[in-house]
């Protein structure tokens, strides 16, 4: 299993839109490669439909190759959809691999079924398939509602708790956190591993 973080760092709204578009592209690519991709955590951008960052798990025979193909700087070439006439057309985001936690969580986990929250409409899961999981010993709690089945959401919740426990057990993995913080705040511009172009986020260069 691989963990992959996409981040707009301190980039403007266009970079947050690029993260959302990159996530959609990555999920489609994962399906094409028979890789199971789950969104573990995400931070929304300031505009609807944008993401400041997202953490994914990639599982399957092609997970390592897929993560390697995305890791590094990612460029999106497109006029700003938010600022007409703005001269800048190059937007950069980053993808970084994180150490995957062990999935054997020690201690009891308390599960509670709940309804999915969010805006109304047909995309909201109105059954109680969302799951709130709490690690009893530490009080770490997560809510997962990305999947339509309670079983799938429980699996993601356990993985997410394992990820948080791994950070906690080793002083929040100080070195890893420092590296991730630096990555989150400083996305390298230049020499991108992947380049996308236009509103349709078309891949024009990639590994």
């Amino acid at each position: 299993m691989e963990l992959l973080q996409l981040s707009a760092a301190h980039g403007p709204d266009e970079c947050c839109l690029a993260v959302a578009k990159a996530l959609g592209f990555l999920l489609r690519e994962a399906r094409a490669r028979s890789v199971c991709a789950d969104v573990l955590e995400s931070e929304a951008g300031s505009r609807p439909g944008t993401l400041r960052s997202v953490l994914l798990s990639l599982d399957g025979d092609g997970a390592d190759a897929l993560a390697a193909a995305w890791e590094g700087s990612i460029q999106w070439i497109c006029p700003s959809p938010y600022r007409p006439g703005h001269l800048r057309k190059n937007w950069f985001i980053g993808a970084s691999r994180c150490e995957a936690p062990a999935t054997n969580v020690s201690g009891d986990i308390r599960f509670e079924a709940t309804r999915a929250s969010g805006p109304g409409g047909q995309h909201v899961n109105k059954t109680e398939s969302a799951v709130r999981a709490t690690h009893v010993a530490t009080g770490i709690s997560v809510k997962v509602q990305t999947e339509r089945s309670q079983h799938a959401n429980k699996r993601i919740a356990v993985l997410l708790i394992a990820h948080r426990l791994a950070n906690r057990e080793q002083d929040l993995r100080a070195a890893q956190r420092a590296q991730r913080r630096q990555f989150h705040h400083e996305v390298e511009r230049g020499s991108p591993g992947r380049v996308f172009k236009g509103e349709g986020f078309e891949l024009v260069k990639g590994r």
Side-chain angles (χ1 to χ4, degrees):
M1 183 186 68
E2 299 285 338
L3 294 186
L4 186 71
Q5 181 187 25
L6 302 177
S7 176
H10 280 295
D13 291 335
E14 291 84 354
C15 293
C16 294
L17 179 59
V19 170
K21 287 180 177 290
L23 174 62
F25 193 101
L26 193 157
L27 292 176
R28 292 191 296 271
E29 187 173 2
R31 286 194 294 269
R33 297 190 183 200
S34 298
V35 172
C36 178
D38 292 313
V39 174
L40 301 183
E41 289 182 311
S42 63
E43 179 184 348
S46 60
R47 290 180 180 266
T50 65
L51 291 169
R52 175 64 56 186
S53 68
V54 60
L55 178 68
L56 304 100
S57 68
L58 305 174
D59 202 3
D61 291 338
D64 179 73
L66 180 59
W70 280 85
E71 188 175 21
S73 179
I74 298 167
Q75 180 182 9
W76 179 35
I77 305 171
C78 186
S80 171
Y82 304 128
R83 296 177 282 177
H86 189 63
L87 295 179
R88 182 176 170 184
K89 296 182 180 179
N90 292 289
W91 316 100
F92 289 89
I93 63 173
S96 176
R97 281 200 276 189
C98 311
E99 185 176 346
T103 55
N104 54 325
V105 179
S106 59
D108 294 332
I109 296 180
R110 184 174 65 248
F111 293 100
E112 178 186 358
T114 181
R115 287 178 180 266
S117 60
Q122 62 180 0
H123 298 296
V124 175
N125 185 358
K126 294 181 171 56
T127 63
E128 291 191 346
S129 61
V131 169
R132 182 175 298 280
T134 303
H135 187 248
V136 177
T138 61
I140 292 175
S141 180
V142 299
K143 181 179 179 181
V144 180
Q145 59 184 43
T146 54
E147 302 296 330
R148 290 189 175 274
S149 79
Q150 191 176 118
H151 178 76
N153 283 329
K154 281 185 176 181
R155 179 179 64 83
I156 296 174
V158 170
L159 180 60
L160 189 50
I161 285 178
H163 176 64
R164 294 189 180 182
L165 281 173
N167 289 341
R168 183 187 183 102
E169 288 170 359
Q170 296 187 18
D171 193 23
L172 298 181
R173 295 190 186 271
Q176 180 182 341
R177 282 172 55 240
Q179 182 180 6
R180 288 184 63 186
R181 275 201 306 271
Q182 181 179 2
F183 164 75
H184 190 73
H185 294 302
E186 300 176 5
V187 171
E188 179 185 359
R189 296 183 181 183
S191 302
R194 284 197 161 195
V195 178
F196 296 86
K197 187 174 183 180
E199 288 280 355
F201 211 68
E202 176 188 357
L203 179 65
V204 294
K205 173 192 171 183
R207 295 188 289 266

